[in-house]
């Protein structure tokens, strides 16, 4: 056994700020924070719906608060940003080949957004 101390590299709390790739990654991962708030609001909304009309109206009043509206808009923006980064990665992670030729990346990404638009339209028409 050696009596030497092992080298431990110092790691600052802001290590990710030094490189653009890590900054982008941290911003992307931080988009989950407004989504957590949105999910909790929806969960309480379902609970209010079960409890009756008074609880439901109370939840609707809470959701009409300007701060809640801003947080929900941030959650939507974060969700769309997260989807965009995921969709742009998809052709690199899972290239689609048709008759031995790789499908263009733009077609794959646009196809995913078209699916999102179609599902959104279907849900809006359904409701």
């Amino acid at each position: 056994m050696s009596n030497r101390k092992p080298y431990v590299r110092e790691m600052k709390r802001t290590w990710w700020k030094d490189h653009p790739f890590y900054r982008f990654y941290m911003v992307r991962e931080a988009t989950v924070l407004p989504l957590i708030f949105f999910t909790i609001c929806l969960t309480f909304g379902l609970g209010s719906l079960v409890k009756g009309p008074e609880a439901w109206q109370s939840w609707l009043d809470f959701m009409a608060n300007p701060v809640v509206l801003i947080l929900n808009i941030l959650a939507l923006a974060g969700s769309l940003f997260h989807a965009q980064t995921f969709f742009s990665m998809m052709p690199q992670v899972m290239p689609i080949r048709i008759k031995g030729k790789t499908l263009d990346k733009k077609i794959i990404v646009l196809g995913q957004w078209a699916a999102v638009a179609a599902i959104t339209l279907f849900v809006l028409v359904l409701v």
Side-chain angles (χ1 to χ4, degrees), residues 23-45:
R23 277 195 308 263
F24 180 77
Y25 176 80
M26 294 299 276
V27 167
R28 182 178 186 269
E29 293 304 309
T31 59
V32 77
L33 298 174
L35 289 174
I36 290 171
F37 175 77
F38 178 74
T39 305
I40 290 170
C41 283
L42 282 183
T43 304
F44 276 101

Side-chain angles (χ1 to χ4, degrees), residues 27-42 63 66-85 113:
V27 167
R28 182 178 186 269
E29 293 304 309
T31 59
V32 77
L33 298 174
L35 289 174
I36 290 171
F37 175 77
F38 178 74
T39 305
I40 290 170
C41 283
L42 282 183
M63 292 302 286
V67 175
V68 175
L69 286 173
I70 290 171
L71 286 173
N72 283 330
I73 289 169
L74 285 174
L76 176 62
S79 180
L80 291 173
F81 175 69
H82 208 81
Q84 187 274 330
T85 57
W113 281 114

Side-chain angles (χ1 to χ4, degrees), residues 87-88 91-92 102-112:
F87 289 169
S88 66
Q92 298 167 353
T102 304
L103 197 59
D104 187 27
K105 294 176 182 181
K106 290 180 183 179
I107 293 173
I108 296 172
V109 173
L110 287 176
Q112 291 171 328

